[in-house]
Amino acid sequence: KFTDLFEKMVPMAVQQSMSIYSQRKAETVNRLVGTMRETTNLCNGVLASLNLPAALEDLSGDSIPQSIAEKARSVVQLGGLQSIEQLIKDLPELLTRNREILDESLKMLDNEETTDNELRTKFNQRWNRTPSGDLYKPLRAEGGNFRDILDKAVQADQVVRDRYSAHGDMIALLCRPEDELNAAIPSANPTKTLQGSEVVNVLRSLLSQLDEMKKERETIEGEIKAVTFDMSATFLMALAQDGVLNEEQLSLSQLDQLYGAYNQRVQATVRTQEELLGQVQTSHQEFSSLKQSNTEANQREEVLKKLASAHDSYVEISSNLREGTKFYNDLTEILLKFQNKCSDIVFARKTEREELLKYLQQS
Amino acid sequence: SLYPSLEDLKVDKVIR
């Protein structure tokens, strides 16, 4: 049952190319998925601002439109306000933990350098080893990069907090029991019977096409994330044949083969949305002109719009918080590796320092 | 995405 431990060993050039390829792939996936998500957020924003689909369902003028009731249920199911409040409360701890690891690492370098300098002052040119300051430049540069990243993360945390404070009340309202939610929505006398009018049917058809489009995006996202391809064979063959490895060209052509079609489908779904939303805007204008507009109806519509966008913000805030939590946890792992690098080099320098010190004191 | 990407930090660099 012999397993060759060296089976997966590849030349350094191939190993590094695999790393860079996986980074390119991750960036491609993030761009495609990010584009679709942003476009969907835009669509939800436009619909919420037009009070759609609620306006089409809001016949009696005093019961909760079906889409709003569904949105309320989904927020409660996703954990409601408590779940995001808890994640928001955790952010500062995650940030502090990362900062501490980084600060400790850099402090190790500083302390060792201070001692190195003191001994250099004491022994002058007899202290003939490379100054620690020079040796630690790359690590300190890396540390500086981590500091910038943490500063950007702090800004991202603030964006999430601002979004939460802007929509928190309305999200809380969505989480209230149905009767309280209903009581909080101003009622208006029943909408004129617009049911039969053609514009309502056009709007309904457009909205269902938009729903279809959004569902298709979920499928595309799933397919994109399911794509796997082992580049090692390609890299090994290229290295063997030409003796040199053009990672960029090999990776880009492979990534195009794997994701080119998806890129087309993503661009297509963006265009589809633009067309559909254009038609929605036109039909909505006609719909609003038919609908009676009085203060009660307008007040009711304003609250329904806020409730719809509160749901969308809840979904966005939750996604931001998941992303933030993952970011901090991933960064912790990377910072621990950085800390190890710092402690390894400091340990080596200390050992070397003590030997040099012993030697100098003896001679 | 809202938070910085860590992708390029995951590329393990060899210390010379």
Side-chain angles (χ1 to χ4, degrees), chain A residues 47-48 50-58 65-68 70-71 204 207 211 308:
Chain A
L47 293 183
L50 300 174
N51 191 27
L52 289 173
L56 302 179
E57 304 153 347
D58 195 26
Q66 189 212 338
S67 60
I68 300 296
E70 271 161 25
K71 286 183 158 102
R204 282 219 173 90
L207 291 179
D211 279 343

Side-chain angles (χ1 to χ4, degrees), chain A residues 143-174:
Chain A
N145 183 25
F146 286 131
R147 218 178 278 290
D148 297 343
I149 285 175
L150 279 172
D151 293 344
K152 289 201 189 85
V154 166
Q155 287 163 14
D157 292 346
Q158 194 50 50
V159 167
V160 178
R161 276 195 206 89
D162 294 346
R163 251 178 215 157
Y164 171 67
S165 55
H167 295 281
D169 305 342
M170 274 298 166
I171 293 173
L173 183 54
L174 269 180

Side-chain angles (χ1 to χ4, degrees), chain A residues 63-108:
Chain A
S63 67
I64 304 175
Q66 189 212 338
S67 60
I68 300 296
E70 271 161 25
K71 286 183 158 102
R73 270 194 300 277
S74 99
V75 166
V76 169
Q77 252 164 8
L78 289 168
L81 221 46
Q82 298 80 357
S83 75
I84 46 176
E85 276 165 354
Q86 184 52 47
L87 287 173
I88 287 182
K89 231 191 347 227
D90 294 343
L91 285 179
E93 288 155 45
L94 292 172
L95 170 68
T96 312
R97 186 174 69 181
N98 278 285
R99 274 214 200 286
E100 277 164 3
I101 299 171
L102 177 57
D103 293 343
E104 274 161 36
S105 311
L106 296 173
K107 201 145 95 329
M108 272 192 269

Side-chain angles (χ1 to χ4, degrees), chain A residues 50 73 91 109 130 138 150 167 209 224 239 256 300 333:
Chain A
L50 300 174
R73 270 194 300 277
L91 285 179
L109 302 181
T130 322
L150 279 172
H167 295 281
Q209 286 173 65
I224 288 173
L239 193 60
D256 185 49
R300 179 177 177 80
E333 260 174 61

